[in-house]
Amino acid sequence: AALTEARRRELAPEAVFPCVLKMVRDAVFNKRDPIIIGIDVVEGQLRLNTPVCVVRTNATTQEREITVLGRVVSMEVNKKPVTCVKRGDTNAGVAIRIDQPNHDHLKTYGRHFDETDLIYSRITRASIDVLKTNFRDELTKEIVGVVAKLKRVLGVE
């Protein structure tokens, strides 16, 4: 059990739990670098260090465009830090801070995304495999369903 726990800690950055987030209306505290916004968890669970993105359809080409916003580096519920928020955990919403690693292409609220966009955890084939092999006991039916939905939304094979 200790070995499994150590392996989980080691693989935690690659393990991206699926979530769908909705912005709380008028809860934009910082528009860019870092982005600080209020959200509600619509599906799944949001954990610290989750990479997040928005998916929009290009108006001219009608193609899906994925805009990576960055990683969630802190979360607060009622001014108290938390590490994991599940759907239905809070009524008041969650304040999240998104740090952007690439400073030459900073994403800005209002330009790259707005409160009408859903925010998704940025899952990949590799992150799904890490979840399946090392976090199987935490994969509920709901989480598996959200993974399947995000695979379609994000075009993950």
Side-chain angles (χ1 to χ4, degrees), residues 16-20 43-44 121 123-125 127-129 131-132 139-157:
V16 177
F17 280 80
C19 64
V20 179
E43 293 181 74
S121 56
I123 62 168
T124 61
R125 169 52 38 207
S127 70
I128 293 169
D129 292 341
L131 281 182
K132 283 182 180 175
L139 297 182
T140 61
K141 277 188 175 173
E142 180 196 7
I143 291 177
V144 171
V146 179
V147 167
K149 175 182 178 172
L150 290 186
K151 281 171 63 175
R152 287 191 303 276
V153 170
L154 300 173
V156 175
E157 292 302 315

Side-chain angles (χ1 to χ4, degrees), residues 45-156:
Q45 56 182 260
L46 176 63
R47 294 187 177 205
L48 276 182
N49 296 314
T50 299
V52 291
C53 63
V54 292
V55 178
R56 286 182 149 181
T57 304
N58 185 313
T60 52
T61 64
Q62 296 303 311
E63 288 191 16
R64 174 179 50 209
E65 292 180 344
I66 298 171
T67 304
V68 177
L69 301 178
R71 281 190 182 270
V72 176
V73 294
S74 72
M75 302 187 288
E76 288 184 3
V77 176
N78 295 329
K79 300 198 184 331
K80 293 181 182 69
V82 292
T83 57
C84 178
V85 181
K86 297 177 179 149
R87 180 176 64 114
D89 272 2
T90 64
N91 309 350
V94 184
I96 62 171
R97 174 184 166 148
I98 303 170
D99 274 1
Q100 303 174 54
N102 196 349
H103 290 289
D104 54 336
H105 295 295
L106 291 176
K107 305 301 183 251
T108 307
Y109 171 82
R111 180 176 297 162
H112 299 101
F113 71 105
D114 58 39
E115 65 188 26
T116 63
D117 291 309
L118 289 175
I119 300 172
Y120 302 97
S121 56
R122 182 73 173 107
I123 62 168
T124 61
R125 169 52 38 207
S127 70
I128 293 169
D129 292 341
V130 168
L131 281 182
K132 283 182 180 175
T133 54
N134 298 291
F135 295 86
R136 184 168 291 282
D137 59 330
E138 294 184 45
L139 297 182
T140 61
K141 277 188 175 173
E142 180 196 7
I143 291 177
V144 171
V146 179
V147 167
K149 175 182 178 172
L150 290 186
K151 281 171 63 175
R152 287 191 303 276
V153 170
L154 300 173
V156 175

